[in-house]
Structures are given as structure tokens and as C-alpha cells.
Amino acid sequence: MSVMLLTGKYVICGVEGSGEVRQIDDGAVLVHDGKISAVGSRAELEAQAEGAEVLGGSDYVVFPGLVDSHHHIGLTPVQLGSPDLPLELWFGDRIGGRKVDLYLDTLYSAFELIRSGVTTVQHLHVRHLGGIEEVKESAGKIIRAYQDLGMRVSYSYGIRDQNRLVYEADEDFLARLPAALVADLGPYLSALSLPLEDNFTLFEALCDAYAAEPLVSIQLAPTNLHWCSDEALERVADLSSRKAVCVHMHLLETVYQKVYARRRTGGSAVRHLERKGLLGPLLTLGHGVWMTEEDLDLVSQTDTRICHNCSSNMRLRSGTAPLNAMIARGIKVAIGIDEATINDDRDMLQEMRQVLRVHRVPGFDQRVPTAAEVFRMATEHGAQTTAFQDQIGTIEPGRSADLVLAKWSQIAHPYLDPRVSAVDALVQRGRSSGVDTVLVGGEPVLKHGRFTRVDEQAAIDELARSLSGPPSEDDRLRRSIAERVMPYVKSIYDDYLTGESYEPYDHRHSRS
């Protein structure tokens, strides 16, 4: 039996629904065989931990592993040549990104996630050229990267069966284009067109393949309303209900998506999902920037989750999500880094600060997020968007020992007023450079700043070498397609909002 004792100046166990932080000063966490067996004072637990490996000390803060609840790729779009365009134009520009080794690409971002205290990632694999066998192979490379690092992953391949580039049918969009561009773009869109039935065959195959892997969960991910037919939504709802499978779906990320939903359904995208049987605690909605008060009430009433992607919303000019109103309604909101944070990396500590600060609306009495609420978003609420929700997210006996030890001196040096709480200090001043050790299931995957399973520098050097040569013929073709198709993509949306009513949620007012 393996026994570990983690000690710290502070052990932050979690946050109550009231917002009160559960914290133990001069505390400790006792771990047996990867599970938390006891939490208490250091003096008390040291007496029970004879022969245990001891990590931490008086210069550490111990807290639950963070959860990135919305993640896609390794190398960022900027690194691959795509600037921060509005989302609908960005889709077109992203066609031109170079093909990257999926295993190395996944390792690259996972290194950054773990270094910022992330132990669990919701990996939303949204596009891959080829049929079911090619997608299955690519899924295996991504999952293997997380397994090799020892990280916990919830993987899904994005289901989409229509409107693969713009918010209209592929054949209608191709009919707008010159023949030479159709000859190049048509095969590309066809290669993205995994038949609807194959999506569910893939899901079942992956569930079978990883059923015995405790750190891997397979989820469902209908990518967005415009990408999914009603048949696809209904089948996801049925499968999720029958097998109690978690679902993650982008929704109402931009005002154009809000207008699309009204044109397609005659009303609200959220209400449409309710009619299709999708709303509920198994569903997480990514973004939700353009939800109305009625939408938020419906999300709250059905206990549906939301994943807030703050940096992504800012970078792609999608808008500011009504987070204050979400929290006021008691909606369980997680945090996702999406493609990259405001710093073009995968630093969850930075993203927590971004969330804390962006929603500080003017006024003395307006409700704004607290550091404790943001911490809960990145831990317990993040966990609740995954199948691991009963195992992670808080520090309590019986839960998995997914834990982070960060240097308190990095946070508090050269001075920190004792009136500042540990949670406030961590959220507002914590840096990846201060993260010392990260455990997943009781195993240190990062120990004293070094990865224990994979040679970080060798993997990144290999990724660099793989991209050091010139782009392939296929890369150049896709870059050419992206450049030629962009004016036609933009033309779809030039008059899209004309005559439409699309008032955003008034962020100055929320229920207290």
C-alpha cells in the first residue's frame, strides 16, 4: 500500500454553496493508494502517517487539481498562422493551418496545463479529415498523450452533420463559388463529412476501448446548433439519457449564432435544446455569450451547466458572457481555456484572473464574481462537467488525490497582508512558476517542477523538428483554399444582422 502525506501552510479543500471557503491552516492531506483517506491538521495526520512519503511543508498551499473544461488543440491558432478574427471568419482562415502531429501537439498544450495546476482536461476534438478509422486513430494519439503524461482526460469527437463552413448548407455555399474553388473546397468539406451514424459508432468503439482506463472518459459533443441537424440532437439526447453520458456543446458564442437560431427555430437556441430533450445536469453549454434572461432562467431551472471561455470570447470578438447573472441564478459555471488564453498559452491560473477581472461592472452594489467563486468554477464546477465529478474537484476523504502544491512564497513574497485570504491570494497572485508538484490519482506527474513520465524538452524539440521543413503540398493547397474562400465567407454575413433584433444581455443588472 502506498501512503503519502501532503502538508501546507494552507489546505484549500473547496468552496461551499454559500461562498464560504473550506480551508485548514497548517493542514495536511493523507493519501492511501491514490485516494484521499483523511484531511486535517498537520500535527494530527503526521501521527497517522508513519513511513509515508511527505510532500509540501510550511511554504506550500495545497488545493484541488484544476479542470480545463473546454480545450481543443496544442499549438495555438496564432502559432499556426491564424490571427484573432471574428469567429465566423476565423473558421475559414483555420482551413489553412499546417497539419501537426496530434500526439506531440497534445503533449505541448498538456505540459502548459499541468504546469498551471490542471489535472483534468475536457478535450473537444472538433475536426479531422477522413473516415471513421482515421478519426479513431487520431483519437488514440490524443488520448495516448494524456495517458503518457498521467493526466485525466474527458475526450469527445465533435458531432456535426451539416453547415461545415458557414451557417448554410454546404451545397448552397458551394453553389456561390467559382468552379476552380469548388474543385478544391468541395473535397475538403467532403473529407470532414463523417456520416452521422459513424459518429455514434465511433463513440461506442471508444467507450469499449477505454472502459478499463480510470483516467479516461468518453463523452458526447454535438458541436453547435448550426453544425447539427435535429436528428443529430435527438440521437445525442437519447443516448445521453439512456447511458447517463455527459454532453458538451458550444452554443450562442456569437450574435450571428443567435440570429441563426432564431431563423432556424423561430426562437431561442436554448429553448430548442429543451424541446429536443438535451437540457439537464448531463449537458454543459460552452460559451453562452448571447443568452437572454429567459435562456438563463431555463438553464438554471434544468440544472444545465455552462462553461465560460473568457479569453476566447475576447480574442474572437464574440462578446462578454453574462457571468454575473449566471452566478446570481445559481448556475454551475466552469472555466475553459478553449484555444488559448489572453497570453496565447494554456495557463489556468491566468484564466482565473481573467474571469475575476473582466466581469467587474461599474457600480457600488452590482454583483461581481469573488475569488472563491472563480476558484470553485475551476475546480468543483469544472469537475461537474465531466464523468469524474464524484472523484475530483474538492479535497475530502474518498476522492481521488488530484492535488496541487504551489509555493506560498511565490504568492506572498515580499509581503502579503494577513487579512488577504489564501484563496484570494492564490487566484489573484498565483503563477505557473510557483506550481511545484501536481498529483493525479496520487501519482506525482509533475514533481518539484519536473515532469516524471515524459521528457518535456525532448517532446517539444521533436514537435519543432516535425515542423521545421517547408509546408507540404496539402498544407499549401489548404492555405490557398483559405485565402480564396475568405471573401465568400464574409459575404454570407455582410447583411446577416440587417433587420434583426439582437440586443445583448444587459450586464449591469443581475439578480442578487
Side-chain angles (χ1 to χ4, degrees), residues 291-307:
M291 287 184 179
T292 64
E293 287 199 60
E294 180 184 356
D295 291 336
L296 294 174
D297 287 341
L298 191 53
V299 168
S300 175
Q301 292 160 12
T302 56
D303 199 21
T304 300
R305 282 74 163 116
I306 292 176
C307 182

Side-chain angles (χ1 to χ4, degrees), residues 106-409:
T106 303
L107 283 180
Y108 174 69
S109 56
F111 288 137
E112 293 185 332
L113 289 170
I114 291 172
R115 282 200 179 279
S116 67
V118 174
T119 56
T120 299
V121 61
Q122 177 85 262
H123 191 110
L124 304 168
H125 188 184
V126 295
R127 66 170 77 186
H128 190 82
L129 301 178
I132 188 170
E133 291 305 318
E134 288 84 359
V135 175
K136 193 185 301 183
E137 182 182 0
S138 71
K141 292 178 180 178
I142 290 168
I143 294 170
R144 181 165 60 86
Y146 292 119
Q147 289 179 305
D148 287 352
L149 275 174
M151 195 174 184
R152 195 179 296 273
V153 58
S154 173
Y155 171 91
S156 59
Y157 186 72
I159 297 171
R160 54 179 173 176
D161 64 339
Q162 63 177 27
N163 305 347
R164 289 170 181 83
L165 184 53
V166 296
Y167 300 164
E168 70 175 13
D170 297 345
E171 57 270 23
D172 293 341
F173 180 64
L174 289 172
R176 299 172 180 266
L177 309 180
L181 181 52
V182 171
D184 290 335
L185 179 62
Y188 173 82
L189 293 181
S190 294
L192 283 177
S193 304
L194 194 67
L196 182 58
E197 186 61 40
D198 284 357
N199 284 273
F200 297 101
T201 301
L202 172 68
F203 170 77
E204 297 286 359
L206 292 176
C207 285
D208 290 343
Y210 295 99
E213 298 295 327
L215 300 183
V216 180
S217 171
I218 307 299
Q219 296 194 188
L220 290 164
T223 44
N224 206 320
L225 182 63
H226 59 272
W227 278 323
C228 290
S229 66
D230 283 354
E231 180 187 359
L233 297 177
E234 290 163 359
R235 291 195 61 178
V236 168
D238 176 67
L239 182 57
S240 172
S241 176
R242 283 191 293 107
K243 296 196 172 185
V245 177
C246 293
V247 180
H248 195 109
M249 181 178 183
H250 297 68
L251 197 75
L252 294 173
E253 185 171 352
T254 72
V255 65
Y256 296 93
Q257 293 179 7
K258 183 172 185 176
V259 171
Y260 168 84
R262 179 157 44 241
R263 292 179 180 180
R264 170 172 162 179
T265 72
S268 158
V270 176
R271 181 66 68 180
H272 189 68
L273 295 188
E274 181 199 34
R275 289 195 292 267
K276 297 303 173 186
L278 275 163
L279 296 190
L282 290 174
L283 175 66
T284 298
L285 298 174
H287 296 281
V289 174
W290 289 84
M291 287 184 179
T292 64
E293 287 199 60
E294 180 184 356
D295 291 336
L296 294 174
D297 287 341
L298 191 53
V299 168
S300 175
Q301 292 160 12
T302 56
D303 199 21
T304 300
R305 282 74 163 116
I306 292 176
C307 182
H308 180 35
N309 305 312
C310 188
S311 285
S312 175
N313 295 339
M314 296 179 70
R315 293 184 62 162
L316 302 184
R317 296 166 60 179
S318 298
T320 305
L323 177 63
N324 299 343
M326 294 173 185
I327 293 176
R329 284 168 169 79
I331 295 171
K332 295 179 177 67
V333 184
I335 295 177
I337 291 177
D338 208 339
E339 307 285 355
T341 67
I342 208 73
N343 287 339
D344 208 53
D345 58 15
R346 265 56 61 113
D347 187 335
M348 181 59 85
L349 294 170
Q350 168 65 35
E351 189 68 7
M352 290 163 68
R353 275 189 291 282
Q354 189 83 355
V355 172
L356 181 69
R357 299 271 160 63
V358 163
H359 302 280
R360 299 185 68 77
V361 294
F364 293 165
D365 300 318
Q366 300 303 326
R367 195 191 195 294
V368 298
T370 66
E373 287 169 335
V374 172
F375 180 80
R376 184 169 56 188
M377 290 169 67
T379 52
E380 183 179 1
H381 286 179
Q384 292 183 8
T385 70
T386 76
F388 304 115
Q389 57 188 273
D390 295 330
Q391 304 174 48
I392 62 173
T394 61
I395 299 179
E396 55 187 288
R399 298 239 166 187
S400 177
D402 290 21
L403 304 168
V404 182
L405 293 94
K407 286 290 189 72
W408 183 250
S409 56

